[in-house]
Amino acid sequence: MLAAVLALLSTACGRDPPEQRLRDSVTQFQAAIEQRDAPALQEWLAADFVGPEGLDREGARRLAVGSFLRYRQLGVTVGPLDIAMQPDHATVRFTAALTGGSGRPLPEAARLYEVETGWREEDGDWRMTSARWSAKL
């Protein structure tokens, strides 16, 4: 019995804290964008995801695919994450510089955005529930 309790405690202690797991999720979401992987990107979105102007999970996937078709190369540089943790959700704010080009050294398009995302932990994984962004420049 004592061995089982110790094993359970060591597993719980070895797990990253929620904020670190959330930071890792944001990093993996960013990687999915840079890898032009729309299905992986969609997996990070909660089933009830809502974006600007009623954008839903499927609409976000289509938006990503359209961007991937328009730009052969996409880059995302995310500024420092400002995370507000709540018991059942979190808000992540950051700036994001998006660049896109057709293979030339300089991007054809570059934009800086202020981004606010909502996240919820589902079965141990963080999923994005909402996103808002506005052009900064």
Side-chain angles (χ1 to χ4, degrees):
M1 176 85 135
L2 180 60
V5 170
L6 289 175
L8 190 61
L9 286 175
S10 68
T11 302
C13 293
R15 190 170 183 201
D16 289 333
E19 183 174 332
Q20 183 57 51
R21 291 194 318 274
L22 177 56
R23 287 179 183 279
D24 293 344
S25 295
V26 172
T27 298
Q28 292 170 15
F29 185 81
Q30 176 184 353
I33 293 170
E34 291 180 336
Q35 294 167 2
R36 305 163 49 91
D37 190 344
L41 186 71
Q42 188 177 24
E43 285 301 311
W44 288 106
L45 303 178
D48 59 348
F49 171 83
V50 176
E53 299 178 21
L55 184 72
D56 64 3
R57 188 173 189 248
E58 179 59 24
R61 186 196 63 77
R62 287 193 309 266
L63 178 63
V65 168
S67 297
F68 299 158
L69 290 172
R70 183 173 180 186
Y71 299 109
R72 282 189 14 215
Q73 294 179 335
L74 283 176
V76 180
T77 303
V78 174
L81 302 180
D82 176 17
I83 298 178
M85 300 292 295
Q86 302 294 323
D88 59 346
H89 69 278
T91 302
V92 182
R93 292 178 185 86
F94 55 90
T95 57
L98 300 178
T99 58
S102 57
R104 293 188 292 262
L106 296 176
E108 294 171 8
R111 300 234 167 115
L112 186 61
Y113 294 93
E114 291 286 342
V115 182
E116 180 178 311
T117 57
W119 295 77
R120 175 178 60 230
E121 197 168 18
E122 298 176 352
D123 299 324
D125 295 319
W126 285 97
R127 297 287 180 244
M128 188 185 299
T129 58
S130 64
R132 293 186 304 166
W133 59 86
S134 59
K136 189 170 180 179
L137 296 178

